[in-house]
Amino acid sequence: MASSDDLTSLPTPPSCTADFCLIPLGTPTASVSKEVAEVQRLLKKSGLNYSMHSAGTTTEGSWDEVMKVIGQCHAMLHRNGVVRIQSDIRVGTRTDKKQGFRDKVEAVERLLEEDA
Amino acid sequence: MASSDDLTSLPTPPSCTADFCLIPLGTPTASVSKEVAEVQRLLKKSGLNYSMHSAGTTTEGSWDEVMKVIGQCHAMLHRNGVVRIQSDIRVGTRTDKKQGFRDKVEAVERLLEEDA
Amino acid sequence: MASSDDLTSLPTPPSCTADFCLIPLGTPTASVSKEVAEVQRLLKKSGLNYSMHSAGTTTEGSWDEVMKVIGQCHAMLHRNGVVRIQSDIRVGTRTDKKQGFRDKVEAVERLLEEDA
Amino acid sequence: MASSDDLTSLPTPPSCTADFCLIPLGTPTASVSKEVAEVQRLLKKSGLNYSMHSAGTTTEGSWDEVMKVIGQCHAMLHRNGVVRIQSDIRVGTRTDKKQGFRDKVEAVERLLEEDA
């Protein structure tokens, strides 16, 4: 068990995978397509790997890079007039191996192919 | 504002989209591929629409059908020896239109195509 | 490894703990206090144990009871005019012991008391 | 609509509320009390406001401070030997008012008191 004396200077993880679903509140319509498109544009500019699916967007990079870009998505939408934003973020880190988010799907698909 | 007198007999929503990420705890390895493959097999048998991505699995159907199948995923893995399971579920319902989970991605992609 | 032949008839877990955060979309204001208060009233009528905190509401019971009441919260708010609702649900099940949601906090607090 | 040209230099939000639930994977036991206690100790040292409940820990501060401390929780547990960690984070930002996480519960409780 590590001492907690120096915890406040611990570096954040060098890599992570984060999947986030961002929801604007108090907007005139129930549609979020416009906001999600803005998020995709910002991610493209960020240079990080990312992939959109129907329930969120997955991205990967260092912990600080990934969290910064999600925070910038909030800031961008606030600048566009959205007064309140809530995101759900599923973030994973691991030290046993380097695994990109696309590798995870392939690992499962290989197991399922054995069924055939 | 509706009265809350008859709330306990309210029917659950006739349709929903749910994205869930299931995590087994206390397993010998940090890999979850085997468990996720089992989940895909159960979903296939359920007859519901579903789609796996790197951060979870999206499915759609009536609220009761969808929640039942996620509960069955927990039950199946418990039966296979996993003693504790935690899932994160993002579930959405709407009354303004019928929108399948694949339609949501297309709506954003149409907006992004206009950039080109 | 269990056979998957009879999976569609598997019963859902007899007990679970679920923490949910419900977000109405397309409402005139960014405040959600009114909707959250309605949710608390419905939970009170349900007879399930529950506890509100600043980021959601925790409840416990059988899988089917818990998911039914969260679905009824969606249905109730739709009936009150909210056209779209998104919830994030963290749900846990375990077979190694019976642990109410209040016990989990106490287990951590006992460990922290040893620091003093 | 803002131009996206300068998006990569956008500052992250000056304040946010985040509720996170951290799950270690591949640990020998299904209990997470020890890890959650470690998280509480680190939060105490961080100087941020925080509050533990049965389904997670809520904290508030600037976006960068809050995300840094959650990343440090991952890093600390990795240093203690946990090879894989998954967190679910619910994070909210708003520009219409400054609201601490304790204020949110009080706003709902005031509405419920009117029922009595």
Side-chain angles (χ1 to χ4, degrees):
Chain A
M1 187 68 65
S3 148
S4 63
D5 290 339
D6 49 343
L7 288 177
T8 54
S9 59
L10 258 186
T12 55
S15 69
C16 73
T17 298
D19 183 73
F20 67 106
C21 171
L22 181 153
I23 302 173
L25 281 88
T27 52
T29 76
S31 170
V32 299
S33 309
K34 198 186 67 174
E35 286 83 1
V36 175
E38 286 289 309
V39 165
Q40 305 308 308
R41 290 184 189 107
L42 194 155
L43 283 165
K44 192 173 180 184
K45 285 183 181 290
S46 77
L48 296 177
N49 274 333
Y50 68 98
S51 174
M52 177 180 60
H53 55 90
S54 68
T57 301
T58 307
T59 184
E60 62 193 359
S62 75
W63 182 280
D64 293 348
E65 284 173 326
V66 164
M67 293 306 172
K68 182 186 172 193
V69 81
I70 301 175
Q72 288 178 320
C73 290
H74 278 237
M76 170 186 66
L77 295 179
H78 284 314
R79 204 177 61 170
N80 292 351
V82 181
V83 296
R84 187 174 186 181
I85 302 163
Q86 184 80 17
S87 284
D88 181 57
I89 308 174
R90 295 173 187 158
V91 56
T93 58
R94 59 194 307 178
T95 55
D96 57 341
K97 61 172 166 176
K98 201 153 173 50
Q99 185 186 48
F101 64 78
R102 291 176 219 279
D103 305 330
K104 294 204 283 184
V105 171
E106 284 168 19
V108 175
E109 283 174 348
R110 274 195 300 276
L111 289 173
L112 293 174
E113 277 163 15
E114 294 166 12
D115 294 357
Chain B
M1 187 69 64
S3 148
S4 63
D5 290 340
D6 50 343
L7 289 177
T8 53
S9 60
L10 259 186
T12 54
S15 69
C16 73
T17 298
D19 183 71
F20 67 104
C21 171
L22 181 154
I23 302 173
L25 282 89
T27 52
T29 76
S31 169
V32 300
S33 309
K34 198 186 67 174
E35 286 83 1
V36 174
E38 286 289 308
V39 165
Q40 305 308 308
R41 290 184 190 107
L42 194 155
L43 283 165
K44 191 172 181 185
K45 286 184 180 289
S46 77
L48 297 177
N49 274 333
Y50 68 99
S51 173
M52 176 179 61
H53 55 90
S54 69
T57 300
T58 307
T59 184
E60 61 192 1
S62 75
W63 182 280
D64 293 346
E65 284 173 326
V66 163
M67 293 305 173
K68 182 185 171 193
V69 81
I70 301 175
Q72 288 178 319
C73 290
H74 278 237
M76 171 186 67
L77 295 179
H78 284 313
R79 204 178 60 170
N80 291 352
V82 181
V83 296
R84 188 174 185 180
I85 303 162
Q86 184 80 16
S87 285
D88 181 56
I89 308 173
R90 295 173 186 157
V91 57
T93 58
R94 59 195 306 177
T95 55
D96 57 343
K97 61 173 167 177
K98 200 153 172 53
Q99 185 185 47
F101 64 78
R102 292 177 218 279
D103 305 330
K104 294 204 283 183
V105 172
E106 285 168 19
V108 175
E109 284 173 348
R110 274 194 301 275
L111 290 173
L112 293 174
E113 277 163 16
E114 295 166 13
D115 295 356
Chain C
M1 187 68 63
S3 149
S4 64
D5 291 338
D6 49 342
L7 288 177
T8 53
S9 60
L10 259 186
T12 54
S15 69
C16 74
T17 299
D19 184 72
F20 66 106
C21 170
L22 182 153
I23 301 174
L25 282 89
T27 53
T29 76
S31 169
V32 298
S33 308
K34 197 186 67 173
E35 286 83 1
V36 175
E38 286 290 308
V39 165
Q40 305 308 308
R41 290 184 189 107
L42 194 155
L43 283 166
K44 191 173 181 185
K45 285 184 180 290
S46 76
L48 296 178
N49 274 334
Y50 67 99
S51 173
M52 177 180 60
H53 55 91
S54 68
T57 301
T58 307
T59 184
E60 62 192 359
S62 76
W63 182 279
D64 292 347
E65 284 173 326
V66 163
M67 293 305 171
K68 182 186 170 191
V69 81
I70 301 174
Q72 288 178 320
C73 291
H74 277 238
M76 171 186 67
L77 295 179
H78 283 314
R79 205 177 60 170
N80 292 352
V82 180
V83 296
R84 188 174 185 181
I85 303 163
Q86 184 80 16
S87 284
D88 181 57
I89 309 174
R90 295 173 187 157
V91 56
T93 58
R94 59 194 306 178
T95 55
D96 56 340
K97 61 173 167 175
K98 201 155 173 49
Q99 185 186 46
F101 64 78
R102 292 176 218 279
D103 305 329
K104 294 204 283 183
V105 172
E106 285 169 19
V108 175
E109 284 174 347
R110 274 195 302 275
L111 289 172
L112 293 174
E113 277 164 15
E114 294 167 12
D115 294 356
Chain D
M1 186 70 62
S3 148
S4 63
D5 290 339
D6 49 343
L7 288 177
T8 53
S9 59
L10 259 186
T12 54
S15 68
C16 74
T17 299
D19 184 71
F20 66 106
C21 171
L22 181 154
I23 301 174
L25 281 89
T27 53
T29 76
S31 171
V32 299
S33 308
K34 197 186 67 174
E35 286 83 2
V36 175
E38 286 290 308
V39 166
Q40 305 309 307
R41 289 185 190 106
L42 194 155
L43 284 165
K44 192 173 181 184
K45 285 183 181 289
S46 77
L48 297 177
N49 274 334
Y50 68 99
S51 173
M52 177 180 61
H53 55 90
S54 67
T57 301
T58 306
T59 184
E60 61 192 2
S62 75
W63 182 280
D64 293 347
E65 284 173 326
V66 163
M67 292 306 172
K68 182 185 171 192
V69 81
I70 301 175
Q72 288 178 320
C73 290
H74 277 238
M76 170 186 67
L77 295 179
H78 283 314
R79 204 177 61 171
N80 291 352
V82 180
V83 296
R84 187 174 186 181
I85 303 163
Q86 184 80 16
S87 284
D88 181 57
I89 308 175
R90 295 173 187 157
V91 57
T93 58
R94 60 195 306 178
T95 55
D96 56 341
K97 61 173 166 176
K98 201 155 171 50
Q99 184 186 48
F101 65 77
R102 291 177 219 280
D103 305 329
K104 294 204 283 183
V105 172
E106 284 168 20
V108 175
E109 284 174 346
R110 275 194 301 276
L111 289 172
L112 293 175
E113 276 163 15
E114 295 167 11
D115 294 355

